Amino acid sequence: MLRRKVPFITSKPPFITITTTIRQKSSGGKRPKKKTYHRVPELDRVMELRKKPTTILELKTLIQSQPKSNPLFLRDLEKNVGFVRKWDFMALIEKHPTIFRVTGSPPFVHFTDKAHRVAQQEARSRDFMEPLLVNNLRKMLMLCVDNRIPLETVEFVGPEMGLPWDFKGCLIDKYPQFFSVRAFNGRDFLYLEDWDSTLAVTAREARLAQEGIVVNMKPNMDNKKVKISKDGNYAGPFAFKVNFPAGFRPNVNFLQQFERWQKLEFPSPYLNARRFDTADPKTRKRALGVIHELLSLTMERRMTSAQLDAFHAECFLPSQLLLCLIKHHGIFYLTNKGVRSTVFLKDGYVGSNLIDKCPLLQFNDKFVALCGRGNVDLSDIKSSLQAVV
């Protein structure tokens, strides 16, 4: 878990602006100064919008995991999801007759004909995903200082990356030239067997290259004096795309300091972190690049705080990770909406919409759309809203 707890992460998230209190020295009984952490309603809304699709997809996976000779009986729901959630699934089945149907005696749940036809397309989507998953798994290992990571960590973050539940058999064993599993200090670790320098390009660098910015250019090689905009963005090779919340009003002094930080060069996240001094500002900026890249490797450009913190030792993440994310709220957004606190990569979204969707997310949108719920995909709006016949 995270090294430091802050007051605004609670089991019941408030509906008011989050505030954190910075304690200062006593000054004659005055109240301590408060620093406001501004909410981003559009990203909070993402968590709300994902609740229903997540439950539908979970029930879909549960039905598909049953052997053909033994369907999912309603009486067995409690064994799979627990007594409390059983009633949520029962209500879901009753509410969406276009996807789920209950028949037989004893009653069991299965797909409607239309839902069954759409569900069969998942295998094709996963085939399209396989090369992407292999590369993302290799890139994740390349970000680790020893090019290895505990297998339990991969299992922990696997759903966010889109890894299948049996990834050890269908990916790791299938590509022995890239991966191997070996024991180390009594734990199973996933090792990288082949370093590919062509993969050592971050999502930030790829975006800059698309915009025509030379990534490997030194700051002093740019003769043009480019002023940073009022929103904090700067067209430079070492700049991060930022999106400050609506309630944040930076003053001139802040923008001047932020401009110097945006222009500060830093080593690639794919270089070994042991080579750099942790107190160096360039190293601290590089750590943000590592977090940015880890979130870029996920399907929805987000992880729970616990999942991100699982990379703490392997990637040399900042010791005060939570405060680091809060400080750089133009790049990341931390929300306590939902069951667990979640970290968003802001440049992956426009409003509440994910900009770039992988084939598996496009399939999920198509399946969930059977209940009559539209899903907006900015990369291909027509395909996301296309009715399934």
Side-chain angles (χ1 to χ4, degrees), residues 245-263:
F248 181 69
R249 298 289 186 270
N251 55 30
V252 175
N253 182 53
F254 175 90
L255 288 176
Q256 289 174 347
Q257 294 181 6
F258 194 73
E259 179 182 2
R260 289 193 292 270
W261 183 84
Q262 283 279 53
K263 293 180 178 180

Side-chain angles (χ1 to χ4, degrees), residues 159-320:
E160 308 303 328
M161 297 181 65
L163 296 177
W165 64 272
D166 57 344
F167 71 92
K168 287 181 284 188
C170 66
L171 285 182
I172 296 176
D173 294 343
K174 187 176 179 180
Y175 297 94
Q177 68 273 31
F178 299 142
F179 312 111
S180 66
V181 178
R182 298 197 293 266
F184 179 76
N185 288 342
R187 301 167 67 190
D188 287 336
F189 276 72
L190 180 64
Y191 281 78
L192 179 69
E193 293 297 324
D194 177 64
W195 176 278
D196 188 352
S197 58
T198 62
L199 294 178
V201 179
T202 65
R204 185 193 66 85
E205 292 170 340
R207 177 183 61 82
L208 291 176
Q210 290 179 352
E211 296 175 356
I213 298 175
V214 181
V215 178
N216 58 357
M217 179 183 65
K218 297 292 183 181
N220 55 8
M221 292 176 59
D222 188 8
N223 296 325
K224 297 180 180 179
K225 185 174 179 61
V226 181
K227 295 297 292 182
I228 196 168
S229 61
K230 291 183 179 180
D231 61 3
N233 286 296
Y234 165 71
F238 299 100
F240 286 87
K241 184 178 180 180
V242 296
N243 181 17
F244 292 122
F248 181 69
R249 298 289 186 270
N251 55 30
V252 175
N253 182 53
F254 175 90
L255 288 176
Q256 289 174 347
Q257 294 181 6
F258 194 73
E259 179 182 2
R260 289 193 292 270
W261 183 84
Q262 283 279 53
K263 293 180 178 180
L264 179 68
E265 60 179 312
F266 64 96
S268 169
Y270 286 100
L271 295 177
N272 197 306
R274 289 195 177 97
R275 298 168 53 182
F276 312 111
D277 180 13
T278 56
D280 191 338
K282 297 180 181 180
T283 304
R284 292 198 294 266
K285 188 174 181 181
R286 177 195 171 276
L288 294 179
V290 174
I291 299 173
H292 188 285
E293 187 69 359
L294 285 172
L295 293 173
S296 298
L297 296 178
T298 63
M299 291 194 300
E300 298 187 62
R301 310 299 186 265
R302 60 184 173 95
M303 283 187 190
T304 66
S305 302
Q307 288 172 329
L308 187 59
D309 193 61
F311 293 93
H312 197 279
E314 280 70 27
C315 296
F316 283 20
L317 297 185
S319 57
Q320 295 181 325

Side-chain angles (χ1 to χ4, degrees), residues 86-96:
K86 174 187 73 173
W87 301 108
D88 295 333
F89 281 90
M90 294 285 285
L92 190 74
I93 294 169
E94 183 179 1
K95 189 175 182 180
H96 300 294

Side-chain angles (χ1 to χ4, degrees), residues 321-335:
L321 179 58
L322 185 61
L323 294 181
C324 177
L325 296 172
I326 294 174
K327 180 180 179 181
H328 296 278
H329 57 103
I331 306 172
F332 312 106
Y333 177 61
L334 184 66
T335 178

Side-chain angles (χ1 to χ4, degrees), residues 46-99:
V46 172
M47 303 302 296
E48 299 295 330
L49 292 175
R50 294 307 300 168
K51 287 182 180 179
K52 181 178 176 181
T54 299
T55 309
I56 291 176
L57 295 172
E58 187 177 350
L59 182 55
K60 174 190 72 68
T61 302
L62 197 57
I63 293 174
Q64 292 175 324
S65 65
Q66 303 297 317
K68 293 183 179 180
S69 58
N70 186 24
L72 180 61
F73 293 101
L74 294 182
R75 65 189 180 192
D76 295 332
L77 268 178
E78 186 174 339
K79 299 179 183 178
N80 293 280
V81 300
F83 176 76
V84 176
R85 296 196 67 205
K86 174 187 73 173
W87 301 108
D88 295 333
F89 281 90
M90 294 285 285
L92 190 74
I93 294 169
E94 183 179 1
K95 189 175 182 180
H96 300 294
T98 57
I99 303 178

